[in-house]
Structures are given as C-alpha cells and as structure tokens.
Amino acid sequence: MSQIPYKIYLSESEIPAAWYNVRAEMKNDIAPMLNPGTKKPVTLSDLEPVFCTELAKQELNNTDKFIEIPEEVRNFYKMYRPSPLVRAYCLEKALDTPAHIYYKYEGGNTSGSHKLNSAIAQAYYAKKQGLKGLTTETGAGQWGTALAMACGYFGLSLKVFMVKCSAEQKPFRKAVMETYGASVTPSPSMETEVGRQINKMYPNSTGSLGTAISEAVEVAVTSEGTRYALGSVLNQVLLHQTIIGLEAGKALEKIGEYPDIVIGCAGGGSNLGGLMAPFISDRINGRRNPYFIAVEPASCPSLTRGRFGYDFCDTGHVTPLAKMYTLGNGFIPSSSHAGGLRYHGMSSILSQLYHDGYLDEARSVTQTDVFAAAKQFARVEGILPAPESAHAIRVAIDEALKCKESGEQKTILFGLTGTGYFDMTAYMSYNSGTMSDYIPSDEDLERGFATMPSIEE
Amino acid sequence: MSQIPYKIYLSESEIPAAWYNVRAEMKNDIAPMLNPGTKKPVTLSDLEPVFCTELAKQELNNTDKFIEIPEEVRNFYKMYRPSPLVRAYCLEKALDTPAHIYYKYEGGNTSGSHKLNSAIAQAYYAKKQGLKGLTTETGAGQWGTALAMACGYFGLSLKVFMVKCSAEQKPFRKAVMETYGASVTPSPSMETEVGRQINKMYPNSTGSLGTAISEAVEVAVTSEGTRYALGSVLNQVLLHQTIIGLEAGKALEKIGEYPDIVIGCAGGGSNLGGLMAPFISDRINGRRNPYFIAVEPASCPSLTRGRFGYDFCDTGHVTPLAKMYTLGNGFIPSSSHAGGLRYHGMSSILSQLYHDGYLDEARSVTQTDVFAAAKQFARVEGILPAPESAHAIRVAIDEALKCKESGEQKTILFGLTGTGYFDMTAYMSYNSGTMSDYIPSDEDLERGFATMPSIEE
C-alpha cells in the first residue's frame, strides 16, 4: 500500500446523511433536565418557548440512534465539509515518536471552528419554523461568528451577547459577526433584567458564558418570533457535532486505521462528544476499545475537580437544571485564562459517560503548557491553532511522547477544532512571557459549589 | 453525470511535479532586467548577492517550460494543498445567473493566502544553500506571514519590513509573524540608510511596498549569509504560483469544464500570473481562447493608467530595473486604500502579456464597490474574503451578471487568493459607511511618472 496521504478527504457524497444520537445506546441515559420553577422533568412544552420545536424534540430524544440531516443543511455542509483528517507527519517527525497522529481539522471555515456544524442546523430549523430571529451568547467568539454566518445565510436576525472580557480582547471578532449582519452586545449588559442584576452585584464583572446565556435566554423568551440558540453543552449540539466523528471514522477506515486514543478539548463538551462518535458506539457495544481523554483548563476544571449533580446551565437561573459535572453556576472563571473553555458545567451526556467510565479520563492543563504546544504545533504543522484546540494538542503531544518512551506505535486522534487568528492577544501575552497560570484554590471551588441548587434525586 | 460537487479536490499524488515557466512559450520574451548601476542587462552574478543562486537562475530562465518542484517543497505543499476548486453554487443562485462560477481557494492555510506557495520554495532554496536567514517586505501582511511560516519550518531567521500603515492597522498580523519566529520592523524605519533618507524626505510617510523592499534589500546585501525574498512581481514568484493554475486546470478537466473567463486581482501580478497557467499556454499555442482579466484598485492603477517602460522595483533605487507597467517608483499609493495591491509596478511577465494582448483586459475598481462584493460573497459562500481577493470577486460578479442579461452560460474562474480575518479594520470602516474611494488625478500620476528613470531601449 502506498503512503497514507497527509490529508484524507471524503467525497461530498460520503458526508453522513444522519447525525448519531449516542443517548439511544448509552447504558445509563442522562438524568432528565428539570424545569427551573417546578423542579420536575422538562417537557416539550417547557422547552418550546426557548428553542424551536424541532430542536426541543432533539433535545429530549433518547430513542432514535440516527437523526436525518436535512438536505438544506447537508448542502450548506458541502461548502466547507467534509473537513480533512490530517496525518501529522511533521509533528510525528519533530517528536520522533512511533505514534501515528491524526487530527480532524475543523478550522477551515470562516467561523474558524467546528461551531458552524451546529449553527447551520439550528438556524435552519428556526427558518423552517418561520421565526424572525435568534439570540445567543458567545465566549471566545467562534460560536457567535458561526451563528452569524448561519443566520446571515438564512436571512434571520441575530442578537449576540458576548462575554465582556472577550469582546474587549477581540474587537475584530465582533466586526466579523457584524459583517454577517448580527448585532453584538458585551455581557453583562444593561439591556436585560439579568444583566442589570449581575452588574449590580458584581460591578467589575468581566462576564462569563453563564451570564451571557441568561441574557440571551431572557431576550429570546420575551421577544416575538425569537428563540435561543446555544453553541455547546446541549444534547442537540453534541448531536450535530457527531458529523465530526462520523467523518473521521469513515476516513480512518479508508486508510485502515483505528484510534487507540481519542482526545478532545472540553469546555461545554460538544466537540469532544461529536468527535467520539462513532468510536463511543464501538466502545458501548463492545466492538472496539478506544481510550477517550477530555482535556480542560486547570483554571476551569469541571470534570477533574467538579461535582456530578444538578445545576443551572446559566448564572441567572433562567435555564433548566441539568445533571452534570459542574463547578457551580456561580463559579466565575479567571479572566486571565485565554479563549474559551470557561464554562462552569459540562454536557450531561459527556458527564454521564465520564461517570460511567466510558469517557476514560479527564486531564487538566495549564495555559502556558497549552501555548507551548500551540507554538510547537504551528511551527511544524503550519496551522496556528485556537487556544481551545491547543489543549487537545498538548495532550496529544504528551501521549505521543509516552509512545516514544515505550516504543508503542499507538494511533492517536485528536480534534483540531479551530484556528487562533482572533486570539493573537493571547499569543502576544505568551510570546512576551507575561502569561500567567491560574489554578483555583479549594476555597474558590467551594464558593462555586455553594451556588448549586439543592435537588433531591 | 451526477452533479458537479461544491469542491473539487485533486489527490495529493496529482499535485503538479513541476512549475510552468511561461517565458519559455511567450511570443515576445520580457525585456531583460537592468543593473541599476551600469544599466546593462543583469547577469547571474549581479543577482547572487540579493537572491539565493537557484532563485536567481529561475529569475533568468526563459528556456525551460517546466521546472521541477523539489520533493521537500512538494511535501510541505501536501500540508495545505491541493487547494480546493470551488463551484460557487450559492453565489450563482443569489445572482440568478446561468454562468458557472468557480474559484480556486488559496486562503485555507495559516498565512491566509496563496503567498505560502512561493514562500516555502524560497525558504527551501535558501536552506539548501546553507544561508542563515532572509529579509523581506510585507504590505497587507500575507507575504510576511507566509515567509515567517516557511522560515520557521526550515529554521531560518527572518527580518520583515512591514509597510507602516499596515503594521499600525494590523498588530495581530505582526504577532502571527512573531509567533513563527520572525522579527518585524515598520517601514520606513530608521534601521537602514534608505529608510532614514525616506523618513527625512517624507517625515509622515505611511510607507509603501517600494520603500519596504529597498530596506529589506539593503539589509540582505549588507548582512552575512542573508538574502532577500520578494512575494510578488518577480518571475520566480510567478513561476511558483503557477501551482494554482496547474491544479485548477486539472480539476476543471476532471469535471469537463474549461474557463471562458479567468479573473484575478493584480498587485504585483503573481497570483493572476499563476492562475493563468496552463490556460495562457493554451492561448499562446492556439489550443483554446480563454479571456483574461486583471483587476486592480482604482487607487493604484498600474495596468489601466500606468506606462510600459523601465522602472525601479523599489523606491530607494537599490533593485534592478524592470520593464513593466508602472506608475513610477515614486508613486505613493493613498493610505486610505485597504489592504494590498498598493504596488507601483507590475510583473514584467504580466506586463508583456498585456502589452501583447494575451492578457486581454485590465479593469480598475473602487474599494467601496469591492467591499460590497466582499460582503455579498461572504453572506452566501461563507468565506470572508481578503480585500485583495474581493477585487476579483467584484469582477466575477459583474461578469456573471452580464451573463444573466445575455443568457450566456459562460464558465468563469477567479482566484480567491485569501481570507480577510486580519482586515477587519477595513471591514469595520466599510460597515460603518466611513470608507472613501480615492482615485489619483492625472497630476498625481504625472508626479509618479516623473520618478521613472530615463532608459534608452
């Protein structure tokens, strides 16, 4: 057989026709989301004021193993998918490792990340339902950009609440969203009840995803013909992101490879959850035994130091409660941490898989270690990674170096979720040696846990 | 036959093994470059202090139709090539045109443009010659980023002179270059003789490519083990960029298409010159009759309003003289113009082809019209284009709309040379309605022409 190419592309006709719904196969399904008022499991009618109906149905679906991707969404996917699966030959050489390193590269579209996979689906269902527009939050900015592109494509209005410290660090992100027609408001703002309250309680708040979510939900439920869209955490988002793993699985099959280790960064968890399909299906059904690693920042360690219990998805307590690994909805991540992955909770699906041992390991890493890996990767592989993605690169490099020591020729697959073009402030901080690491103390964490609601299960 | 896909990819084994040297086929070869001191045609030994030897040979080569691409360069190409040829279905639909619109997308690598195609070749030859490092200039920043990536990859040092107004507008471009290990100096600087002179003559100079070139050449020829690299204009650069057209030609052949119209933006001319191969070969040899359009900014109209004659390639008169369409080496483009394409001259090869009627048409467009096209394209095709590339989009849209009127189903190919992620200041200016158009007066042009040297031919 000839050498495996640097980039393995599927043809457009091989783009999966359906998303994979892991809930239909999980040994233990996730605990139901609870209505924040009644504390009873949410129903479709609870969710419909917030999400469009079709997405609310996807959110609750735990029976259909596959959910068809609408043709309009598949056609949009064809503008930037299938994304390449890349053999990191140059990185392998630089590390002098016997490991085979592959990454699924999702940064090749203008949103700069995998977020577009779910954004276009969510905008499509909103358009189909005849809505006027959407609201959302964005942290590092990838999700807001992706949803702005998707709403621009379908002619929907979009209001984005952007985490304040990120909006200040990334004026150009804001400009991209506006170029696609979105309006962008730094959060916490004075435009919502929730925002005003948080500004009053924490006058110097630099914002958090949790707060921005509260603001976006408030505007969605109080505006005519408007719904809310979220870029991570939710079951529906993880569902849409399975396109990543399904494509990666097909591409690896073409070249006769199967991953021993699957690595993804985890903020809300949807990218890793998406990359894990179909390998998690193999694992659940006993067909294969890949090892899964979630990588999170030491500054926001939901899986490695969080608690598994019910919590609000937002700071303002307007969203349903979800059972998940969480640092407490009142946990405010340090603004010294660059980029995303600053969310207090974690996808319920990933949380349950972690609790049950299917997601094998969570590992937290400091940001200076992450940027060292980012620069090393950029120099040899050419791509300047997003800080979020570089968390996965850090662990992929570490695992490849273990292979060098042990002599094992493992196959490593990681998700390169996005590019760092809008994160140069963080790179400049790292380049100049002024970047610091922040690890919350146990007391910091206790303060966060104290904000979790008390729910009897 | 099934529908043509959105993206046509070649396999890595189909990456061309050789660049195409159009000079070997031109009916009238370009006039020789002249030594700036003696005004005699330059020899290899004239060029060797400036360029590495292999590149100097390529610069003078007018006999070999194909020049082999070294294996190391081909391997680097495999990290980001073949680039996709994209069928712009969504744009066609939005325009309601019978035209088939294709674009060759070169923005999918971290330099954000086609510049990497020549950067990696130039760095490779420098490394092979045992040099320590390179110097260069950059305008919008793509070339500097590309050469920083290439030098980072081969472990060469790199000093970049960045046009001052661009360095001020794009601090993050500078940061990307530094992340790859380059040092970046705004030009005109006080570090060179030429820079000090220009700062003295024009204390408020915002810089130009011509000045930055002078500075970079001065440092190259006065530093041990260092040579100069240029990102456009030169024959060698156009040669390396033929990879674009050669790939596009193969991809179109696969789907049974041939371009009626080939459109590229033209600053120094290497991207358009590269895209035109192999179609220009068909044209010269009478096999096919594609129509070529060069698009340039109305603010820097080298082809449409320039003179065809000998001129210096730089403002400081340290480079050889080339016969080309030029506005005069003393022409300083308005700093109100966003992005690149601000060069006073034009590739000698393109100039000669234009003079001889093989490059059929040059068209100048204003930047507000260009940004209108950029936004329209971004909304429907998803990709946020670089302002430079958007010049080609403008004319592609105009030609497609003509097809709508006439009912002709022409096949249009244009070069989408790069992305606009680092050009958000310009987009913000356009979005806010504060962008203005600048068209030089005849008097402005006369002042530029007056700086051309007097050469008897």
Side-chain angles (χ1 to χ4, degrees), chain A residues 205-362:
Chain A
S205 171
T206 55
S208 70
L209 274 180
T211 301
I213 292 171
S214 301
E215 294 205 84
V217 171
E218 184 183 317
V219 172
V221 298
T222 56
S223 307
E224 180 77 23
T226 304
R227 294 292 187 282
Y228 166 69
L230 179 62
S232 190
V233 185
L234 296 173
N235 305 330
Q236 60 188 267
V237 180
L238 195 143
L239 174 75
H240 304 150
Q241 295 297 357
T242 59
I243 189 91
I244 304 173
L246 293 169
E247 281 185 9
K250 275 196 198 182
L252 284 168
E253 199 178 323
K254 281 198 176 204
I255 53 170
E257 291 263 31
Y258 192 90
D260 297 300
I261 308 176
V262 178
I263 301 166
C265 62
S270 64
N271 122 69
L272 173 58
L275 179 65
M276 285 166 67
F279 314 111
I280 188 70
S281 178
D282 291 344
R283 173 76 177 266
I284 290 172
N285 292 292
R287 291 188 294 265
R288 303 288 296 244
N289 198 27
Y291 186 84
F292 299 105
I293 306 177
V295 190
E296 58 184 16
S299 64
C300 195
S302 326
L303 286 170
T304 48
R305 296 175 71 196
R307 289 188 183 161
F308 188 48
Y310 269 107
D311 195 8
F312 289 97
C313 297
D314 67 326
T315 313
H317 299 188
V318 300
T319 62
L321 291 96
K323 191 171 176 192
M324 57 184 174
Y325 281 88
T326 176
L327 299 165
N329 62 79
F331 179 83
I332 303 274
S334 161
S335 66
S336 74
H337 183 73
L341 311 182
R342 293 161 48 85
Y343 185 63
H344 68 273
M346 182 58 64
S347 146
S348 286
I349 292 173
L350 269 200
S351 292
Q352 189 68 47
L353 290 171
Y354 184 52
H355 188 71
D356 292 344
Y358 289 103
L359 168 56
D360 297 274
E361 185 185 340

Side-chain angles (χ1 to χ4, degrees), chain B residues 23 84 105-106 161 166 184 214 231 240 243 253 274 341 355 368 379 382 387-388 391 404 409 457:
Chain B
R23 286 183 69 190
Y105 178 48
E106 293 287 321
F161 288 91
S166 187
V184 181
S214 301
H240 304 150
I243 188 93
E253 199 179 324
L341 312 183
H355 189 71
T368 52
R379 291 275 180 103
E388 296 83 0
H391 286 70
K404 182 184 176 183
Q409 191 192 291
E457 292 182 46

Side-chain angles (χ1 to χ4, degrees), chain A residues 3-10 12 15 75-82 84 86 90 93 103 105 107-112 149 152-153 169-173 175-182 375 378-385 419 421-422 424-425 427-428 431, chain B residues 3-10 12 15 75-82 84 86 90 93 103 105 107-112 149 152-153 169-173 175-182 375 378-385 419 421-422 424-425 427-428 431:
Chain A
Q3 196 201 34
I4 292 168
Y6 282 64
K7 301 177 302 308
I8 302 100
Y9 278 106
L10 302 174
E12 281 168 24
I15 291 178
N75 281 343
F76 188 92
Y77 277 170
K78 287 177 186 170
M79 287 205 285
Y80 71 101
R81 307 200 67 82
V86 186
C90 295
K93 193 176 160 199
Y103 57 90
Y105 178 47
N109 66 78
T110 284
S111 82
M149 290 174 66
Y153 184 79
Q169 278 171 14
K170 301 182 176 183
F172 294 158
R173 269 283 183 202
V176 176
M177 290 183 256
E178 288 168 348
T179 297
Y180 283 93
K375 276 187 81 159
R379 291 277 181 103
V380 295
E381 287 288 322
I383 296 170
L384 188 81
T419 52
Y421 310 140
F422 291 93
M424 293 319 298
T425 306
Y427 274 94
M428 285 155 84
N431 289 343
Chain B
Q3 196 202 33
I4 291 167
Y6 282 64
K7 301 177 303 309
I8 303 100
Y9 278 106
L10 302 174
E12 281 168 23
I15 291 178
N75 282 342
F76 188 92
Y77 278 169
K78 288 177 186 170
M79 289 205 283
Y80 71 101
R81 306 200 68 83
V86 185
C90 295
K93 195 176 159 200
Y103 56 91
Y105 178 48
N109 67 79
T110 283
S111 81
M149 290 174 66
Y153 184 80
Q169 277 170 15
K170 302 183 176 184
F172 295 159
R173 269 282 182 201
V176 176
M177 290 183 255
E178 288 168 348
T179 298
Y180 283 93
K375 277 188 81 161
R379 291 275 180 103
V380 295
E381 287 288 321
I383 296 170
L384 188 81
T419 52
Y421 310 140
F422 290 93
M424 293 319 299
T425 306
Y427 273 94
M428 286 155 83
N431 289 342

